Amino acid sequence: MAAITDMVSLEQRGDIALVLIDNPPVNALSHGVRLGLLRAFEQVADDAAVKGVVLACRGRTFIAGADITEFGKPPKAPGLQEPQTAIEDCPKPVVAAIHGTALGGGLEVAMCAHYRVGDPAAQYGQPEVKLGLLPGAGGTQRLPRVTGVAKALEMCAIGDPIGSQEALAAGLIDAIIEGDLVDGAVAFAEQLVAEGAPLKKIRDRDEKIEEARANRAVFDDFRKSIARKTRNFHAPAKNVDLIEAALDTPFDDALEQEREVFEDLMAGRQSQAQRYYFFAERQAAKVPDLPRDTALREVRTVGILGAGTMGGGIAMNFLNAGVPVKIVERDRESLERGIGVVRKNYQRSARRGRFTMEQVEERMSLLDAGTDKSVFADVDMVIEAVFELMPLKKSVFTELDAICREGAILATNTSGLNVNEIAAVTKRPHDVIGTHFFSPANVMKLLEIVRGDETAEDVLATTLQVSKTIGKIPAVVGVAPGFVGNRLLHQRGLEAERLILEGAPPARVDSVLYEFGLPMGPFAMGDLAGLDVGWDPDDTHGRTVREVLCESGRRGQKNGRGYYIYDPETRAPSPDPEVLDLIRDFASRHGVAQRDDHSDEEILDRCLLPMANMGAKILEEGKAMRSSDIDVVWVNGYGWPVYQGGPMFWAEGMGLDTVAAKIKDYGAKLGGAHWELSPLIEQLASEGNSFQDLPPQKIR
Ligand code: 3H9
């Protein structure tokens, strides 16, 4: 075996040359890989002893794409096109042998080979759109030529990968290899050589493009179908445009166009945010002071206390992952209601084709439901999902402490209560941790993992592993009221309420935040959650607009009247003049002058800057490890648009000196603790630094 570069080697197997990439962890197309590929293919082209070539990768995956860490840095030749051309123009048949994931530039390289084979579990995709990009190395031109336009549109503009069977059916690969992939690919190449098979270049294929020319409506139909889901994103539409360009533009011109659009998108703020976020999510699962070799506790069975909306949703995560669950409610009726909801949710998914009725039954058979907590005696982890009341949580944990076996993890699904206080009622506070799921718990990706003062390292490490098993994105946070997510939410709520008192209608505030990219504004969200959540009818004195609304019988969407009035048929919201009157009265009683000249910028700044300010205070307190973890919480738990990176990324995008100046300015005008500038922001701004310059810190 000859090393071409430190990342690419060449090996002869009979008549077949094997070009092997080895660039852990994911064989990204770093400079050494590009250079190695170019040199290796130049060499095999001229080597008379080589009759065919197999391109494969060592390690866990085929090439998973361009090296994202090189983006934004000065380009280093060769780019990707040179090795791609060397592969495509190779005078001997080239077979790409794919295992793991062929993604982005990886699939684009594979599409330059004359043939592709994959192992049964391999996946193929153009996920660039998820980084705010499009395939920049021919993907928008080669993919439609090989799979047809419809599949290429989905793969590029939505970005989800397909498996080997689908790839075979779509013509993207030529064979699925059972058994050893490289041996199989070499045999495949030998056969091509023996048959004198043609050197198939996807770039020259026209039949699928021809088909699409006859049915151009497919593009507009597709644009309509993704419009809602891709609202405000720049990249999906660009992917569609470039695939459409394949119909009428000569191949090389289209490649040129693709590269230009790729560069434009790369320079844009959306892609910067999405690339930042890609790494943020991966960082969030890393706890700097947790030794990498921490031995994990085994979690084979889970107990869930409470079969309400939260408990049922949490249970579904485990059932989906094949982990048996014992769920306990205080009475039969509530238990049956809760289990019924779980079953109904599954049946709905089955009707939508997500899985079969058989799989529904399989999942339900893993669920053991009862009313007696003593069944928790032998589970490995219990998650408590009872009402959010401290005395109740304490009594539950006292009981769990008595019932559960030694070494079981005791988790509380609290959305903001003091986990240390809960842990303190047990004789094993080191086994206690917070697992804050977001509603609906079977859908929302975020898991705030609350590390208590006493939480043992292996309990934290195991809970992180559990979150991976059930497909959640974790963010480790410290004990503080509302943790990270709800604490930031509260800041936004304070200022949103002030804005409506000053005369900005709720619908106006909501629409500015919706246009920014949030799924809904604070008032629509309040209506959805129910205005009476946390409202005490025995202790209500018109202290807030929300109390006033509740007192006048407005409960939100559930009774058709909240900040908005809801159409009984369509549930469409419209602004309600009566609400504006109530707000105006409230404002005049409290001496708040109304005005009608709030700009969009003011609304946005006033709602969002206090969130970043609080994020910085959370970092000062040591209740989050990094600013990007705070962003992960808001993107995954509250629908913050990923193309805005997260509240911390958004704020630092305007420069922390500007942030500091704005906060001081609003603070002087409006007052309130949420406008007291975080010393951390002040310090970073004065140093010319940003949140991302801070090293990760230990949760305190
Ligand atoms: C592109 O290709 C552009 C082209 O069209 C045009 C070019 C001209 N680069 O996710 P994991 C790191 S755009 C650098 O935890 P998994 C990752 O940060 C690219 N690093 O593992 C992590 O590092 P660490 C299109 C990368 O098994 C480690 O690898 N491709 C890259 O759960 C393990 O990652 C994509 O968008 C990269 N491209 O999932 C694919 N990818 O250990 C992006 C990963 O220090 N990647 N890393 O935290 C993925 O989707 C997943 O990583 C993958 C593995 C499915 C491959």
Side-chain angles (χ1 to χ4, degrees):
M1 190 174 70
I4 302 289
T5 61
D6 54 349
M7 297 178 184
V8 177
S9 60
L10 191 57
E11 191 179 321
Q12 190 77 16
R13 298 250 186 125
D15 286 344
I16 307 301
L18 175 63
V19 178
L20 261 184
I21 299 174
D22 187 10
N23 181 24
V26 296
N27 288 313
L29 290 160
S30 314
H31 175 251
V33 173
R34 300 194 302 270
L35 185 66
L37 284 178
L38 180 60
R39 286 196 187 145
F41 276 89
E42 281 169 355
Q43 200 169 313
V44 295
D46 293 338
D47 187 343
V50 173
K51 301 281 187 274
V53 189
V54 167
L55 170 63
C57 291
R58 277 195 203 286
R60 66 200 231 210
T61 179
F62 191 77
I63 308 165
D67 184 343
I68 311 172
T69 60
E70 286 183 0
F71 287 179
K73 297 182 185 153
K76 233 170 141 187
L80 193 50
Q81 204 181 1
E82 288 141 282
Q84 280 183 298
T85 306
I87 295 169
E88 198 162 50
D89 290 348
C90 183
K92 299 146 193 196
V94 180
V95 179
I98 298 166
H99 75 293
T101 45
L103 298 179
L107 185 56
E108 292 172 295
V109 166
M111 285 193 289
C112 292
H114 308 123
Y115 297 87
R116 283 153 297 284
V117 298
D119 78 9
Q123 298 215 302
Y124 314 79
Q126 299 287 176
E128 289 88 340
V129 70
K130 296 188 178 180
L131 299 171
L133 298 169
L134 48 62
T140 62
Q141 303 306 302
R142 287 193 180 86
L143 196 58
R145 284 178 162 79
V146 66
T147 64
V149 157
K151 174 95 22 213
L153 283 171
E154 269 174 37
M155 286 178 70
C156 293
I158 297 171
D160 292 334
I162 60 172
S164 279
Q165 284 298 346
E166 203 176 338
L168 185 66
L172 182 56
I173 59 171
D174 301 283
I176 296 177
I177 305 275
E178 306 279 347
D180 187 88
L181 176 67
V182 171
D183 289 350
V186 169
F188 189 90
E190 277 165 350
Q191 199 179 337
L192 295 173
V193 172
E195 289 169 358
L199 307 181
K200 289 201 215 161
K201 292 187 187 180
I202 292 175
R203 57 175 289 149
D204 296 336
R205 289 177 55 177
D206 204 36
E207 71 278 8
K208 300 222 165 147
I209 295 293
E210 197 55 53
E211 259 170 43
R213 283 191 193 113
N215 178 22
R216 287 180 187 256
V218 75
F219 291 98
D220 280 337
D221 291 348
F222 184 77
R223 284 186 181 97
K224 276 186 212 131
S225 75
I226 61 164
R228 228 183 104 138
K229 205 172 158 199
T230 61
R231 178 175 76 91
N232 288 358
F233 282 89
H234 297 154
K238 298 287 183 195
N239 275 274
V240 179
D241 293 350
L242 257 293
I243 293 174
E244 190 167 21
L247 271 51
D248 304 307
T249 319
F251 187 83
D252 287 320
D253 295 350
L255 279 196
E256 195 57 43
Q257 273 183 32
E258 185 197 62
R259 207 164 312 125
E260 277 170 23
V261 179
F262 178 82
E263 296 296 337
D264 276 358
L265 287 171
M266 172 90 87
R269 190 70 183 155
Q270 287 204 348
S271 175
Q272 281 174 28
Q274 288 176 259
R275 282 180 277 134
Y276 157 85
Y277 190 75
F278 175 85
F279 289 110
E281 252 184 22
R282 281 157 181 81
Q283 286 297 310
K286 297 190 177 113
V287 180
D289 60 302
L290 195 60
R292 266 179 182 260
D293 55 355
T294 306
L296 301 182
R297 298 189 187 182
E298 253 188 302
V299 179
R300 282 159 307 191
T301 53
V302 169
I304 294 173
L305 182 60
T309 316
M310 236 20 219
I314 296 171
M316 288 175 76
N317 291 293
F318 288 94
L319 302 176
N320 293 344
V323 180
V325 171
K326 294 185 178 181
I327 195 162
V328 171
E329 248 303 346
R330 58 177 174 219
D331 58 69
R332 278 267 143 215
E333 202 189 327
S334 319
L335 182 69
E336 266 151 34
R337 198 174 328 115
I339 303 306
V341 172
V342 171
R343 181 174 278 285
K344 233 191 260 154
N345 283 339
Y346 275 141
Q347 285 168 340
R348 191 174 324 120
S349 301
R351 273 199 304 278
R352 288 188 184 154
R354 278 205 223 119
F355 35 75
T356 61
M357 280 313 289
E358 219 169 65
Q359 285 168 316
V360 171
E361 290 315 319
E362 252 169 53
R363 285 167 164 83
M364 291 307 291
S365 72
L366 292 173
L367 186 62
D368 178 358
T371 53
D372 181 359
K373 295 189 198 81
S374 64
V375 296
F376 292 151
D378 60 357
V379 299
D380 302 313
M381 178 176 195
V382 184
I383 302 173
E384 153 287 302
V386 302
F387 285 124
E388 196 66 349
L389 296 167
M390 184 53 100
L392 180 61
K393 300 264 187 202
K394 281 185 173 170
S395 91
V396 158
F397 269 76
T398 309
E399 273 185 274
L400 291 177
D401 192 24
I403 294 169
C404 292
R405 69 164 178 78
E406 194 184 318
I409 296 176
L410 309 184
T412 167
N413 173 52
T414 169
S415 57
L417 294 178
N418 188 320
V419 174
N420 293 332
E421 210 178 313
I422 296 172
V425 301
T426 71
K427 287 186 278 309
R428 41 174 142 175
H430 49 278
D431 288 339
V432 177
I433 193 160
T435 48
H436 178 201
F437 287 82
F438 285 68
S439 187
N442 53 322
V443 176
M444 297 297 284
K445 283 268 169 223
L446 179 67
L447 182 64
E448 260 185 342
I449 297 183
V450 191
R451 185 178 190 175
D453 290 351
E454 307 268 339
T455 305
E457 282 179 347
D458 63 345
V459 168
L460 176 59
T462 305
T463 307
L464 279 161
Q465 179 56 43
V466 165
S467 102
K468 196 168 178 186
T469 307
I470 61 175
K472 295 290 176 206
I473 292 158
V476 180
V477 302
V479 177
F483 311 130
V484 166
N486 284 339
R487 212 165 161 199
L488 264 64
L489 180 69
H490 181 65
Q491 311 305 305
R492 187 184 76 175
L494 291 173
E495 210 52 33
E497 166 123 353
R498 273 187 172 175
L499 281 161
I500 59 171
L501 287 185
E502 289 171 15
R508 172 84 203 294
V509 176
D510 278 353
S511 107
V512 170
L513 290 168
Y514 179 77
E515 286 309 319
F516 175 77
L518 283 152
M520 62 183 80
F523 302 106
M525 189 171 155
D527 276 1
L528 179 67
L531 295 185
D532 53 353
V533 174
W535 175 66
D536 182 351
D538 298 327
D539 178 25
T540 182
H541 304 284
R543 286 166 292 207
T544 59
V545 172
R546 200 171 168 135
E547 273 192 2
V548 170
L549 293 180
C550 284
E551 286 161 21
S552 66
R554 292 175 169 269
R555 301 281 183 273
Q557 275 200 30
K558 62 177 127 179
N559 75 344
R561 298 162 75 229
Y563 286 103
Y564 296 86
I565 191 150
Y566 293 85
D567 184 297
E569 303 269 301
T570 63
R571 290 169 68 189
S574 3
D576 187 349
E578 191 185 304
V579 170
L580 297 183
D581 289 342
L582 286 173
I583 296 172
R584 206 172 298 117
D585 284 354
F586 186 94
S588 84
R589 264 187 282 125
H590 289 81
V592 181
Q594 293 214 314
R595 59 187 175 95
D596 60 5
D597 60 350
H598 296 90
S599 68
D600 289 359
E601 185 186 347
E602 178 180 354
I603 292 174
L604 211 55
D605 281 351
R606 286 180 56 184
C607 289
L608 305 188
L609 284 172
M611 294 173 66
N613 198 32
M614 176 50 81
K617 291 176 185 174
I618 287 173
L619 288 173
E620 284 162 22
E621 292 168 13
K623 301 299 179 197
M625 298 185 293
R626 2 173 142 70
S627 64
S628 59
D629 292 358
I630 299 173
D631 287 338
V632 167
V633 168
W634 259 74
V635 170
N636 276 305
Y638 300 81
W640 183 284
V642 64
Y643 58 77
Q644 302 275 15
M648 307 303 277
F649 181 88
W650 169 79
E652 66 191 344
M654 68 173 86
L656 288 189
D657 46 353
T658 306
V659 171
K662 283 190 178 207
I663 291 177
K664 279 185 188 161
D665 198 33
Y666 281 121
K669 278 194 221 139
L670 303 164
H674 58 295
W675 285 116
E676 280 164 20
L677 179 62
S678 139
L680 179 65
I681 295 184
E682 189 146 41
Q683 181 201 329
L684 290 170
S686 72
E687 295 165 352
N689 283 331
S690 203
F691 297 131
Q692 289 177 59
D693 295 313
L694 296 167
Q697 61 176 347
K698 193 172 176 254
I699 296 282
R700 297 193 294 273

